[in-house]
Every structure is written in structure tokens, then in C-alpha cells.
Amino acid sequence: MEVEGVGIGSDGASNGPAAGGGGGSALIFLGTGCSSALPNARCLIEPSDPPCRVCSQSLLLPPDANPNYRCNTSLLIDYCPDNTKHSYILIDVGKTFREQVLRWFTLYKIPHVDSIILTHEHADAVLGLDDIRAIQPYSSTNDIDPTPIYLSQHAMDSIAEKFPYLVRKKLKEGQEVRRVAQLDWKIIEENCEKSFVASGLQFFPLPVMHGEDYVCLGFLFGEKYKVAYISDVSRFIPSTEQVISKKGVWQLDLLILDTLYKVINLLATPDGIFCIEGYQ
């Protein structure tokens, strides 16, 4: 189990992921927990006998050294292709986003977010969107450049109902200006062959099943090294399995996988066939 905040740097990132810590790209795990995060509140307010080992242990160590104190699943890509200019790409903005900013943005000196990508529109992926305004430049009249946000049409329709004030561009007659996050909504397709570019980095959507009635997106990215980031997956669909398998177009260097409940699948990699089994 990864400790949140651990960075995986590319060549040249010897000082780790930080705005002022040298060149090279890096990945920062802002969250690796489930929808309700860890520790589970009920485990703490009504502990079992004996107590849950995971949740009780989460109170014994500080969060930055604690594998059992985890926020909603989220990844920050510190993209620095020329070893000078850093672009920060955020995947998912869940219920615990503010805590992630206080804990990890301050530690790694992340000054802003350049673009946002959403895997789906469930609470653990989008309910922090209102807090994006806290990391944008201050303007009482919302006169700032909006942050581009990439999402499926289904996610867009849902978010328009959850956060109409973040989507609506024109004020109603007599409505006062209130400071809200400024976002530039960009629709992407749920198709492995339909790539898009966020802050200079190319991404390929990787649709997967999130339960048998819902499609969630993972993403493949990377230039020198290919990374597949797939969260909330219960089953791979053939097109995505083909892309990330040994016979696919790309040979993966890193697969980041977060499974929903129990998932069992055969995955072909450069080193052979592996049976992936996991639990939420």
C-alpha cells in the first residue's frame, strides 16, 4: 500500500517532486483511499472489539507517514518536459481535495493547477470542484483565466446539475456576482483512440467498467515512459485491455490500478500473464 504523497520522478528528478526542486516530471499520489476515505469514521466512533487494525492504526502516526490515513483517490502530474517549466495536471477533485491541498501542495510547493481531468462524476471524484477557487488567483469579479477541465459528456451533464453555478456563464437578471471557481469545460470521448492534450501532455482515455452499469475513465500518458492510471475499475473492457496488454500498441512502463470491490482479470505484460485480484 502506497503512502500518499510519494512521488515517482522521471530522469533528472533526483530532488523529488517540487516546484523548486530541480527538473524532471513526477507523479504525486494525493489520495489512495476509497470514497469515504480512511480512517472510516464509523470504525472510530463505534469501534469493534478488537478494534479494526487499519482504522485504529491511522491515529497513531502523522498522515504523511501513515499508509492507513488516506484521502479520496487522486493523482497530480508534475509535467516538466524541458527540465525548466512545470505544469501541474490534476486527476480528480474529490471530497477531500482541500485536505490534500493543505497536506501535499504545501509540502511539495505546488503553486497552482494548470488543468484538471475527471475520471467520472461520482462524489469522490468531483465534490471538491467548488474548492478550486481557493487555488486560483483572487478576483472578486471572477476576471481570471479559467482552468481547463476535461471530462466525458455524461460527467458534464451530471456536474451541470450538481454545480450549476460553476457551469453557467451568464448571470440571471438581478443576480449579484459571487466569487466561484472559473473552469473551462472540455468534453472528451470515452474512446481509447481519441486522445486529447492537457497542458502540453497527451492523454488517451481508457474506459473501464465501474460496476456493470457504469463506465469510468482511466488514462494513458507519458512520452519517454508510458503510464496507465486506472482508478475505480471492476472489469476491463476489451478495447482498454488490448491497449495496456503486451500485444497492445503501447508497452507500459507503469500501471497504477485501483480496483472496486473484488476484481479478477488476466493481464498480459512484457513480463508475462498476471492475475490481478484486489479489493476496495
Side-chain angles (χ1 to χ4, degrees):
M1 193 73 71
E2 299 106 337
V3 177
E4 290 180 8
V6 171
I8 302 175
S10 66
D11 291 347
S14 58
N15 292 325
S25 300
L27 306 179
I28 303 173
F29 293 94
L30 300 178
T32 58
C34 57
S35 178
S36 56
L38 284 176
N40 184 288
R42 188 162 186 83
C43 276
L44 299 181
I45 65 175
E46 192 173 337
S48 58
D49 185 16
C52 166
R53 289 190 301 166
V54 171
C55 293
S56 58
Q57 189 270 351
S58 69
L59 301 179
L60 302 179
L61 295 172
D64 59 350
N66 197 329
N68 290 321
Y69 191 108
R70 294 184 280 144
C71 295
N72 294 152
T73 301
S74 179
L75 182 72
L76 183 71
I77 303 170
D78 176 358
Y79 178 52
C80 185
D82 56 5
N83 289 336
T84 55
K85 182 181 183 297
H86 292 256
S87 295
Y88 300 97
I89 305 165
L90 177 65
I91 300 182
D92 284 343
V93 191
K95 297 178 288 184
T96 58
F97 175 65
R98 183 176 183 276
E99 182 175 357
Q100 291 166 336
V101 170
L102 297 179
R103 191 190 304 179
W104 303 124
F105 280 45
T106 56
L107 178 64
Y108 291 118
K109 298 180 175 61
I110 306 301
H112 54 263
V113 169
D114 294 286
S115 55
I116 300 167
I117 302 172
L118 299 181
T119 59
H120 62 311
E121 43 72 50
H122 285 173
D124 58 342
V126 306
L127 283 195
L129 285 173
D130 183 79
D131 283 324
I132 291 297
R133 63 177 175 170
I135 60 171
Q136 290 182 322
Y138 179 81
S139 170
S140 59
T141 58
N142 297 322
D143 186 22
I144 60 173
D145 292 331
T147 302
I149 179 167
Y150 300 83
L151 71 170
S152 69
Q153 184 62 59
H154 176 74
M156 181 77 262
D157 294 341
S158 176
I159 289 172
E161 295 183 0
K162 294 183 177 76
F163 298 102
Y165 60 93
L166 295 182
V167 177
R168 188 171 50 242
K169 297 299 183 183
K170 294 183 179 179
L171 295 177
K172 298 179 181 179
E173 185 176 352
Q175 186 177 8
E176 293 184 13
V177 175
R178 289 179 170 82
R179 184 176 175 238
V180 298
Q182 297 301 296
L183 302 169
D184 182 12
W185 305 94
K186 297 181 179 295
I187 303 301
I188 59 175
E189 295 189 41
E190 298 175 344
N191 188 324
C192 296
E193 298 180 355
K194 302 293 185 179
S195 68
F196 63 96
V197 176
S199 298
L201 183 60
Q202 186 178 30
F203 290 82
F204 291 85
L206 300 174
V208 295
M209 298 309 299
H210 178 48
E212 287 304 304
D213 61 346
Y214 190 88
V215 173
C216 181
L217 294 179
F219 298 97
L220 184 146
F221 59 91
E223 295 168 348
K224 184 176 180 180
Y225 301 105
K226 297 299 181 185
V227 178
Y229 176 78
I230 303 175
S231 62
D232 274 357
V233 54
S234 59
R235 179 172 62 84
F236 291 104
I237 63 176
S239 60
T240 293
E241 189 166 350
Q242 174 65 20
V243 168
I244 65 175
S245 70
K246 184 177 182 180
K247 296 180 181 179
V249 177
W250 296 280
Q251 293 294 296
L252 292 185
D253 296 287
L254 176 63
L255 172 63
I256 303 169
L257 188 66
D258 173 30
T259 63
L260 175 72
Y261 302 115
K262 184 176 181 180
V263 58
I264 301 176
N265 221 316
L266 292 178
L267 179 66
T269 73
D271 297 319
I273 306 291
F274 290 88
C275 178
I276 298 175
E277 180 172 352
Y279 297 84
Q280 186 180 31

